[in-house]
Amino acid sequence: MFDKQYPIPMKLILRTFNLKLKHTFTISRESYDLQPTLIVELQSDGYSGFGEATSNPYYKITVDSMKTNLEKIIPFIESITNETPEEFWHKAHQFLKNDMFALCALDIAYNDLYARKREKKLYELWGYSTNNNPRTDYTIGIDTIEKMVSKMKELPWPIYKIKLGTKEDIAIVAELRKHTDAIFRIDANCGWTVSETINNAVELKKLGVEFLEQPLTADNWVGHKEVFNHSVLPIIADESCIIEEDVAKCHNHFHGVNVKLVKCGGLTSARRMLLQAKSLGMKTMMGCMTESSVGISAIAHLLPELDYVDMDGSLLLAEDIATGITISNGIIKYSKLNGTGVRLIS
């Protein structure tokens, strides 16, 4: 199956961590205090590239399953010589098409390694200007109103993403609005009905909400179309937009798409999805999981392609496992290191 004629230019190293959160994080379907994550390191010619993917019960992904799938393809990884990231992604996808999370971690690590070998930051390698990068929001998970207000006061921020999906959603936002003039974005994580979405949008627009993210269940395409036609606020797809083929499906059902690296298979495929969404006149957004600075720093290099970004995952952690980009008041500052700019904390 694998060509053995090449020398072994790359080494795969897998590390697992349990990321502890500052606060219990709750969305419409789950709560958690620890986030298991897998860090992939690729070593070649004295350089290292790093990638990350977290476990996710909604998508039935575990750290162990990702490790198993990556260990199975070590001979393929060792056969790689000087492929471009695009060439590498297509080859790796043949083996990992049923585990896009593992493919994501591998793809990020390869992009990082490829850029470091060329002594460039990843966005420089892609020819992007970072002069007009959007600011990231900061997420407030579902909790008591008192605790949600407390979290906002703990970290004053220009844009908040508020997780909803309760019977008191309007009251929650109305109370939060009393404590800040920040922009609000709402993520219902599939927790609303069509009528709830259309009606809630009217009230939420009055409360300074910018857009709604994934209000309906992922496969409710009839409902998505009705909401798209009648909502007074823009609707951004998340759970309905997983891989590249989904972008075209979301056209005329959503006003924009939120691309997640782990769901689509990494940076290489995410770039293609963003370009496709732009060609269809849709808004572009990238989101994150609750992940370390390894995954968050990778997202930062796609900021020039985005209208909105939600890359606060590392800010939600009690302790990070890596250094990379830094975030202050929503503004992202790049590391001085090449590639994605990541360094693991020993």
Side-chain angles (χ1 to χ4, degrees):
M1 181 183 295
F2 299 103
D3 191 340
K4 295 290 188 180
Q5 67 177 315
Y6 297 114
I8 299 176
M10 283 211 298
K11 181 181 179 182
L12 174 70
I13 300 172
L14 302 176
R15 299 180 178 89
T16 62
F17 298 89
N18 283 317
L19 305 175
K20 182 174 173 55
L21 279 64
K22 291 178 184 174
H23 305 286
T24 299
F25 192 77
T26 301
I27 62 175
S28 63
R29 56 177 176 259
E30 62 179 319
S31 297
Y32 54 97
D33 297 286
L34 288 175
Q35 175 60 67
T37 194
L38 176 68
I39 302 297
V40 169
E41 179 181 357
L42 292 176
Q43 292 181 347
S44 175
D45 299 331
Y47 295 90
S48 286
F50 299 94
E52 179 175 18
T54 58
S55 66
N56 193 297
Y58 182 79
Y59 294 103
K60 299 180 174 58
I61 298 293
T62 68
V63 165
D64 286 341
S65 68
M66 289 188 286
K67 280 186 66 179
T68 297
N69 288 330
L70 288 168
E71 287 167 348
K72 286 179 181 176
I73 65 167
I74 286 175
F76 156 71
I77 293 169
E78 292 178 342
S79 76
I80 295 299
T81 52
N82 198 33
E83 281 84 345
T84 66
E86 189 77 27
E87 292 167 339
F88 178 78
W89 190 92
H90 283 290
K91 289 182 178 181
H93 181 256
Q94 296 176 47
F95 303 107
L96 295 171
K97 59 187 175 183
N98 294 319
D99 189 347
M100 301 300 270
F101 281 59
L103 178 58
C104 166
L106 188 62
D107 173 80
I108 294 172
Y110 191 79
N111 272 279
D112 185 23
L113 177 67
Y114 190 84
R116 290 189 198 228
K117 282 187 172 185
R118 285 149 185 81
E119 299 185 346
K120 290 183 179 294
K121 294 179 174 59
L122 200 49
Y123 72 79
E124 294 173 335
L125 193 67
W126 292 335
Y128 290 159
S129 167
T130 59
N131 293 335
N132 297 305
N133 282 356
R135 292 188 181 195
T136 182
D137 55 41
Y138 180 76
T139 304
I140 306 295
I142 296 173
D143 212 322
T144 64
I145 291 179
E146 292 75 18
K147 288 184 178 179
M148 294 174 81
V149 170
S150 175
K151 289 174 187 176
M152 289 198 322
K153 290 182 175 179
E154 179 183 290
L155 191 63
W157 212 252
I159 312 167
Y160 288 110
K161 180 175 178 178
I162 303 166
K163 296 285 189 176
L164 296 178
T166 76
K167 297 301 180 185
E168 306 297 328
D169 285 342
I170 301 302
I172 289 172
V173 179
E175 183 60 32
L176 296 183
R177 175 50 74 205
K178 295 176 184 178
H179 299 272
T180 180
D181 60 358
I183 295 169
F184 284 170
R185 296 167 178 172
I186 300 301
D187 186 357
N189 282 113
C190 311
W192 290 348
T193 65
V194 170
S195 60
E196 279 180 312
T197 304
I198 294 170
N199 293 333
N200 286 350
V202 174
E203 298 306 313
L204 292 171
K205 185 175 182 180
K206 298 174 186 175
L207 292 167
V209 169
E210 186 175 27
F211 62 73
L212 307 178
E213 185 178 338
Q214 195 69 45
L216 310 182
T217 53
D219 59 353
N220 187 358
W221 292 99
V222 173
H224 296 322
K225 184 68 173 179
E226 187 173 350
V227 168
F228 175 81
N229 287 332
H230 295 100
S231 172
V232 298
L233 287 174
I235 310 294
I236 307 296
D238 182 356
E239 285 86 347
S240 294
C241 189
I242 299 174
I243 56 176
E244 292 178 60
E245 291 77 7
D246 294 332
V247 176
K249 289 169 63 178
C250 288
H251 185 230
N252 288 330
H253 289 79
F254 294 89
H255 301 90
V257 293
N258 181 2
V259 175
K260 300 272 184 72
L261 293 180
V262 290
K263 295 192 298 185
C264 73
L267 290 164
T268 305
S269 47
R271 290 182 73 200
R272 296 194 296 260
M273 290 177 73
L274 295 171
L275 287 174
Q276 184 182 6
K278 283 186 170 186
S279 73
L280 294 170
M282 303 178 76
K283 292 292 186 180
T284 55
M285 177 177 178
M286 287 195 71
C288 65
M289 301 302 185
T290 308
E291 54 201 300
S292 78
S293 285
V294 177
I296 298 300
S297 295
I299 294 170
H301 292 265
L302 283 171
L303 285 172
E305 294 279 19
L306 306 179
D307 295 300
Y308 317 116
V309 68
D310 171 36
M311 49 181 293
D312 64 342
S314 59
L315 298 176
L316 302 175
L317 302 180
E319 186 176 358
D320 208 336
I321 59 170
T323 60
I325 60 102
T326 56
I327 306 173
S328 177
N329 200 38
I331 299 172
I332 292 88
K333 183 178 180 182
Y334 293 94
S335 163
K336 293 181 180 179
L337 300 178
N338 290 325
T340 62
V342 164
R343 176 178 286 148
L344 290 186
I345 299 171
S346 59

